[in-house]
Amino acid sequence: MMNIRPSAAIRKNYNEISELCKRTGEPVFLTKNGTGDLVVMDVEAFARRESMLKLRETLLRSEEERIAGKPGHSIDESAKMMSRAIREVTDAKRG
C-alpha cells in the first residue's frame, strides 16, 4: 500500500510520519498542491534498498559479461561472492 500525505503533514506530524516509515519499512510520498513532491523513508529501509540496488547492478554486469563471452567464475568463487553480498545486505539491516 502506498502511503501518501500532503507536504504540510511533515511539519505538523513529523513523529507520526517517522513512526509510519519505521513500522511499515515503506516510504511516505509527500504531495504539494496535489502533486508528488518528496519521498521520506526510514534510514534502515534506505540502506537495504541501496544494498539491493548495488547487488542487482553487480549481477546485471556479470550477466552482460557472460553474454559477451568473458570468462566466468568457478562455483567456489561464486559462492564466496554471494556470501559476501549477503553479509553486506545483512550488515546494512543492522545499521
Side-chain angles (χ1 to χ4, degrees), residues 3-31 38-42:
N3 295 307
I4 302 173
R5 302 286 190 276
S7 61
I10 195 78
R11 289 186 296 272
K12 295 177 183 175
N13 303 319
Y14 177 87
N15 290 337
E16 175 188 327
I17 291 174
S18 175
E19 174 57 31
L20 180 62
C21 289
K22 289 176 177 147
R23 181 171 36 85
T24 64
E26 296 294 324
V28 173
F29 297 85
L30 301 176
T31 62
L38 297 172
V39 176
V40 179
M41 64 190 312
D42 177 59

Side-chain angles (χ1 to χ4, degrees), residues 71-84:
H73 299 282
S74 71
I75 292 174
D76 288 338
E77 291 171 327
S78 297
K80 287 177 185 175
M81 287 187 293
M82 289 304 294
S83 293
R84 197 173 320 122

